[in-house]
Amino acid sequence: MEHFLAKFAKHIKKKVIELTRLIIVISYLEFICLLKIDFWDFTMSIIKTINLNKIYDAETEIPVHAVNDVSLEFEAGEFTAIIGPSGCGKTTLLNLLGGLDRPTSGTVTIDGTDIIKLSSSEIIDFRLRNIGFVFQAYNLVPVLTAKENVEFIMQLQGIPKQQREERVLQLFEQIGLKDRLNNRPGKLSGGQQQRVAVARALASKPKFVLADEPTANLDSKSTSNLLDIMEKLNEVENTTFIFSTHDSRVMKRARRLVSLEDGKVVSDNNQMEHR
Amino acid sequence: MLLSIAWKNVWRNKLRSLIVIVSITVGLLGGLFYLAFSNGMVQQQINSSIKTEISNIQLHNPKYLINDEIKYGIDNPENKIKKIKSLQEVKAVVSRIKSVSMISSAATGTGTTLNGIDPEAEMQATDLYTKITKGTFFKTKLRNPIVIGEKLAKKLRVKIKSKVVITIQDMSGNITYGAFKVAGIFDTHNSIFELGNAFVLKKDLTDLIGYHENKITEIAILLKHNDMTNITETKLKNMFASEINSDELTIRTWKEINPILKMLNDMTIQFTMIFVIIILVALSFGIVNTMLMAIMERVREIGMLMAIGMSKVKVFFMIMLETVFLSITGGIIGLFASWILITITNKTGIDLASVAEGLNSIGYSSFVRPELGIFFYFFIGSMVILTAIFASVLPARKALKLNPAEAVRQDV
C-alpha cells in the first residue's frame, strides 16, 4: 500500500511538472501571439509588398493598371533589377516601394513599417532615414559642388560636420572621384554625375537604394564603371540595390531579375542559381 | 545650409535676378526720392514758418485770439519771459504787439497785420533779418521806420525811404494814423506772409496807439529743436497753470497756430507713403512672376529634394529665403542709392525756378532740399522684407504642390 502511494505520488509529481511545462509553453506562445511576431518568419526581407495595385485614372472609362497585384519580397543585400518594356510599370513600382506614390490598394512594408499608413510628413522623414534614390537624370543640385550635393542629405539628417566630412571622403574614395570634390555638376561628365548621385543616395546609410534607370543616359564605359561601383558598395557595405532598367548590361550584372509586363510580375529569377 | 542654397539659387540666373534687383532699386529710388522731396518741401515750409513767422510756441490772452483787439494783451510780460527763458529747451523769447491795420502808399492801400517788435530780441527769435533784400532791418536813422515784404512793396509801389501811412485803432477804439518810412524790404518766398505782415518798432507803435508800456499782445518762443515743442508746451502749461485757469493766458504750439501746416505735413507723408506702398505692391508682382519662373525651371530639382527627404517646411522656407534675398539685395541697393541721391540733393538743393511764382504764392519755397529721417529708411526696408515674404507665398505654395514622383521625371 505504502509502495503504491509512493508510486502514485511520483506519478502525480511527474504529471504536475509536465503540466507546468505545458503551461509555460502555452504562455510563451500566447506572448508571441500578443506581440504579433511572425514566429515562423526566419527570412531577412526588408521590403515586402502584398497585393500591390496602382490604377491611374481609376474613375475614367480607360483606367490604367500600372501595377497589378504585385506581391514581392526583397531581402537585405540584394542586387535586383526590375525589368520589362517601357510602360510596364517599373518606375511606378519603384515609386511605390520608395513611398513617392501611394498605391490604390495593397501594402508596402519596409523593415516592419507599413509605409502606406504613414502621414505625408512621416513618409518624407522615413525616406530621409531609410531610402536612397538614384534618378535617371542624376538630379544633382547645380549650384552645389559634388561634395555639397552628397553632404546635403546628411545635413538634412542632422549629422555633425565631422562625421559628414568623413563619410563624404569615404564615399568619394569609393566612387573614385576624390579629386572632383569641389566641382559643380556642370563640370562633371554624365557618368561622374551619376556616381555622385549614387554617393548621395548612400550618404545617409539607407536600408536600400532605389535606382530608376540609372544607366539610361550613360555610355557603355560609364555604365560599366557605375555598375562596378554599385556592386562593390553592395558587397562592402551590404547595401541593397533595386534598379528599374531595360538595359541588358545592367540585367547581366543583377543577381535577381523581376520581370514585369502590364504591371504584373511575370517572372522572378535568382540569376545566381542559374549561374 | 538653407541660407547658403537659397543665396546660391538667387544667382543661378544672373540676368533675371539682376533685372528684378534693378527694378526694386529703381522703384525704391523713385519712391524714396519722391518721399524725401515732398518731406523736404513740407519740412522747409514748417521750419521757415517757425523760424520766420510763428516760432514754436506762442502765448496770448485768449480773448485776443477771438477779437484781435489790442486791449486784450498780456500784462507784465518781462516776468513771464524771464520764467520762460529759465527752461533749457528755449532758445529765444520775444514779445510783440500785433494789430490789424491798413497800410497805404501814394498809389494804393491794403490791409495788413502790424507787428511792433524789438529788433534786437527779434533777431534772436526769428531769421527775418536774414531775408532783407533791400535796406536794413531797423539799422537806420529814419524816423518811424517800417520793414515790409517784397510783395507788399510791389503792391504799394514803394521802395526804400518811401512813405507809407498806417491806419490803426488806438486803445480807446478811435482810428488813428501814423506815417512811416520804408527802412527795409524782405523776401521770404511766401507771398501770404509778405502781403500780410509789416514790422515797426514796438516803441513807435506804442506811441501811435497809446498802448501800455508794460503790455504786449504776443509772446513767441523759439526752441532749440522742433521735436521739443510738445514737452515744452507741457512745462509751460504747468508753469502758467494759474494764468491759464483764470483765462488770462493761452499757450499754443505751431500745430495749433497753423493747423493747415500740420495737416499738410501729415497728409504729405501719408500720400507719399501710399505712393511708395503702391510701388512695392507693383514690384511684388514682378517678384512673384520671377520666382514662379524660377520654380517652373526647377521642378525636377525640387521634386528630387522632396524625394530624398527634404521636408515641406524646409522647401517652403528655402523658396521664401530666395525671394527675401532677392528683394533684400534690391532693397539694400535701392535704399543706399536713395540715401546718396537724397544726401547730394539735400546739399545742393533743387531750384524750381520755373514754378517759383506758383509755389511762393501758396507759401512754399521754390528752392527745395529733399530730406528723409532714418526712420523712413528702416520703415521702407521693413516694408521691402514684408513685400518679399508676401511675394514668396505663392511660389512657395506652388513648389509644395509638386508631386515628387512626377517632378523628378519631368523634362525641363
Side-chain angles (χ1 to χ4, degrees):
Chain A
M1 182 67 182
E2 195 177 319
H3 177 72
F4 175 76
L5 283 173
K7 200 176 177 181
F8 182 72
K10 197 178 175 184
H11 181 73
I12 292 294
K13 192 180 172 185
K14 194 181 171 186
K15 290 292 173 191
V16 166
I17 289 168
E18 278 176 6
L19 190 65
T20 309
R21 279 180 184 160
L22 189 67
I23 287 167
I24 289 168
V25 168
I26 289 168
S27 303
Y28 177 71
L29 288 171
E30 276 182 344
F31 177 71
I32 296 293
C33 291
L34 200 68
L35 288 178
K36 293 181 180 173
I37 294 171
D38 190 350
F39 194 74
W40 307 107
D41 188 2
F42 294 106
T43 60
M44 292 284 284
S45 74
I46 54 165
I47 310 172
K48 191 173 180 181
T49 70
I50 301 169
N51 304 120
L52 202 59
N53 283 286
K54 178 69 185 177
I55 306 167
Y56 291 108
D57 304 324
E59 281 109 40
T60 63
E61 286 180 11
I62 321 160
V64 180
H65 218 132
V67 171
N68 194 347
D69 207 27
V70 171
S71 296
L72 284 169
E73 283 188 38
F74 299 93
E75 292 172 16
E78 274 195 25
F79 202 72
T80 300
I82 298 171
I83 59 168
S86 289
C88 70
K90 302 188 291 292
T91 299
T92 307
L93 180 59
L94 278 197
N95 287 342
L96 294 173
L97 294 179
L100 293 177
D101 210 349
R102 294 206 175 247
T104 310
S105 63
T107 60
V108 179
T109 310
I110 297 172
D111 215 18
T113 305
D114 184 355
I115 63 166
I116 312 302
K117 287 178 182 167
L118 297 178
S119 68
S120 62
S121 58
E122 284 171 338
I123 191 78
I124 289 172
D125 192 58
F126 187 85
R127 284 202 298 264
L128 175 65
R129 298 183 191 286
N130 297 284
I131 311 170
F133 289 93
V134 178
F135 306 98
Q136 179 181 335
Y138 331 130
N139 288 357
L140 298 175
V141 181
V143 292
L144 300 181
T145 63
K147 178 180 176 253
E148 287 168 339
N149 263 288
V150 175
E151 207 179 350
F152 178 69
I153 195 163
M154 289 188 277
Q155 281 180 295
L156 288 176
Q157 285 184 315
I159 294 170
K161 192 172 170 43
Q162 177 70 25
Q163 284 181 39
R164 291 200 311 257
E165 295 274 341
E166 285 169 12
R167 180 73 176 149
V168 166
L169 286 177
Q170 180 198 0
L171 285 166
F172 272 78
E173 188 139 9
Q174 285 170 326
I175 62 169
L177 288 175
K178 213 174 172 183
D179 57 333
R180 297 298 192 122
L181 273 169
N182 296 314
N183 282 71
R184 287 199 177 183
K187 298 278 178 191
L188 300 174
S189 69
Q192 286 171 330
Q193 285 189 56
Q194 197 60 303
R195 276 145 72 185
V196 175
V198 170
R200 180 182 63 190
L202 291 167
S204 59
K205 295 191 174 171
K207 291 197 169 71
F208 60 96
V209 173
L210 296 173
D212 187 14
E213 307 269 10
T215 58
N217 292 348
L218 302 182
D219 58 34
S220 308
K221 196 180 169 194
S222 300
T223 299
S224 168
N225 215 335
L226 186 74
L227 288 169
D228 288 344
I229 288 164
M230 290 204 285
E231 264 184 345
K232 193 174 145 198
L233 289 165
N234 174 254
E235 282 163 21
V236 174
E237 299 207 355
N238 196 37
T239 311
T240 310
F241 280 90
I242 301 168
F243 313 94
S244 75
T245 187
H246 51 244
D247 186 337
S248 58
R249 296 165 298 187
V250 180
M251 291 180 210
K252 279 180 197 164
R253 304 278 282 267
R255 290 201 285 275
R256 178 183 169 193
L257 288 176
V258 176
S259 185
L260 290 184
E261 224 174 86
D262 296 330
K264 281 188 174 179
V265 177
V266 289
S267 68
D268 186 353
N269 298 323
N270 190 332
Q271 298 215 116
M272 293 304 285
E273 288 169 7
H274 294 293
R275 281 173 195 170
Chain B
M1 169 189 64
L2 282 182
L3 291 173
S4 161
I5 293 181
W7 178 248
K8 284 173 180 170
N9 279 335
V10 168
W11 300 107
R12 184 179 282 212
N13 190 326
K14 287 190 181 70
L15 180 66
R16 193 170 56 204
S17 294
L18 279 173
I19 288 170
V20 175
I21 287 167
V22 168
S23 64
I24 294 172
T25 303
V26 172
L28 280 183
L29 190 67
L32 282 172
F33 186 73
Y34 174 60
L35 188 59
F37 186 84
S38 309
N39 185 47
M41 222 165 161
V42 172
Q43 289 307 318
Q44 233 170 294
Q45 167 71 353
I46 290 170
N47 288 336
S48 147
S49 189
I50 287 171
K51 282 183 182 165
T52 313
E53 302 164 25
I54 55 177
S55 303
N56 294 93
I57 298 171
Q58 287 184 1
L59 278 64
H60 293 97
N61 183 324
K63 288 171 193 156
Y64 173 81
L65 296 177
I66 299 165
N67 293 324
D68 267 358
E69 285 184 44
I70 51 169
K71 64 180 177 184
Y72 300 119
I74 301 168
D75 293 320
N76 299 319
E78 291 309 317
N79 287 343
K80 291 183 176 69
I81 289 171
K82 202 175 172 184
K83 275 186 179 178
I84 294 165
K85 278 184 175 172
S86 67
L87 294 175
Q88 58 175 11
E89 294 88 353
V90 174
K91 191 177 176 187
V93 188
V94 68
S95 63
R96 299 177 187 132
I97 302 169
K98 290 175 89 167
S99 181
V100 179
S101 67
M102 272 290 287
I103 184 165
S104 316
S105 67
T108 185
T110 184
T112 190
T113 300
L114 197 64
N115 294 266
I117 59 161
D118 173 6
E120 290 302 318
E122 199 71 27
M123 282 164 76
Q124 303 294 317
T126 70
D127 63 355
L128 192 66
Y129 69 97
T130 62
K131 316 280 183 187
I132 298 289
T133 53
K134 287 167 192 157
T136 63
F137 191 68
F138 296 104
K139 283 181 184 169
T140 176
K141 287 178 182 170
L142 291 172
R143 216 169 143 253
N144 285 353
I146 186 167
V147 172
I148 58 172
E150 217 164 63
K151 293 283 185 301
L152 187 58
K154 207 172 178 181
K155 188 172 183 180
L156 296 171
R157 281 181 247 156
V158 293
K159 50 190 179 183
I160 298 297
K161 291 185 183 173
S162 292
K163 194 172 90 176
V164 290
V165 175
I166 296 290
T167 308
I168 195 166
Q169 206 175 31
D170 67 12
M171 279 294 283
S172 318
N174 298 319
I175 300 296
T176 186
Y177 307 92
F180 288 82
K181 283 208 167 174
V182 178
I185 295 171
F186 62 83
D187 181 12
T188 58
H189 298 294
N190 182 343
S191 306
I192 300 163
F193 183 74
E194 285 179 20
L195 281 169
N197 288 279
F199 295 84
V200 296
L201 293 174
K202 199 194 280 176
K203 190 182 169 301
D204 294 344
L205 186 59
T206 309
D207 291 345
L208 181 68
I209 60 174
Y211 208 57
H212 302 291
E213 272 191 23
N214 203 20
K215 197 167 186 173
I216 47 92
T217 58
E218 179 177 289
I219 294 173
I221 304 162
L222 182 71
L223 301 177
K224 287 173 183 165
H225 202 280
N226 291 346
D227 294 344
M228 296 167 173
T229 305
N230 291 339
I231 302 165
T232 315
E233 185 199 15
T234 311
K235 285 184 179 176
L236 287 169
K237 279 183 175 169
N238 291 331
M239 189 181 272
F240 299 112
S242 62
E243 287 91 337
I244 293 167
N245 290 336
S246 60
D247 216 18
E248 289 171 28
L249 202 67
T250 183
I251 297 167
R252 297 184 306 160
T253 64
W254 65 268
K255 294 169 192 171
E256 293 158 283
I257 299 163
N258 198 343
I260 294 171
L261 203 62
K262 183 190 179 294
M263 188 191 74
L264 200 70
N265 179 37
D266 295 346
M267 272 175 60
T268 306
I269 299 297
Q270 281 170 16
F271 283 145
T272 44
M273 286 306 283
I274 289 168
F275 179 69
V276 173
I277 289 167
I278 289 169
I279 290 176
L280 287 174
V281 170
L283 284 174
S284 74
F285 286 104
I287 299 167
V288 169
N289 185 43
T290 304
M291 288 310 296
L292 280 175
M293 284 287 289
I295 291 195
M296 295 312 285
E297 282 176 8
R298 283 158 51 201
V299 165
R300 205 163 60 188
E301 183 184 315
I302 293 167
M304 177 278 292
L305 291 172
M306 290 162 92
I308 65 169
M310 191 168 177
S311 68
K312 287 189 172 185
V313 175
K314 282 182 176 151
V315 172
F316 189 91
F317 199 53
M318 184 181 76
I319 306 293
M320 187 173 270
L321 276 175
E322 282 178 37
T323 321
V324 170
F325 281 153
L326 187 68
S327 309
I328 284 180
T329 307
I332 289 171
I333 298 171
L335 288 174
F336 187 64
S338 304
W339 176 76
I340 290 173
L341 184 66
I342 291 165
T343 307
I344 292 170
T345 49
N346 182 268
K347 284 205 164 60
T348 59
I350 299 168
D351 192 2
L352 304 171
S354 59
V355 287
E357 205 168 326
L359 285 170
N360 292 343
S361 67
I362 54 166
Y364 280 104
S365 168
S366 58
F367 195 77
V368 182
R369 292 182 187 278
E371 62 172 273
L372 205 59
I374 192 84
F375 161 79
F376 287 99
Y377 289 99
F378 279 110
F379 180 74
I380 301 293
S382 313
M383 289 296 291
V384 170
I385 296 171
L386 275 178
T387 306
I389 291 170
F390 163 74
S392 68
V393 173
L394 193 64
R397 271 174 60 85
K398 179 96 182 163
L400 290 190
K401 282 182 181 170
L402 292 174
N403 176 352
E406 290 167 12
V408 289
R409 292 179 69 82
Q410 187 154 324
D411 290 325
V412 180

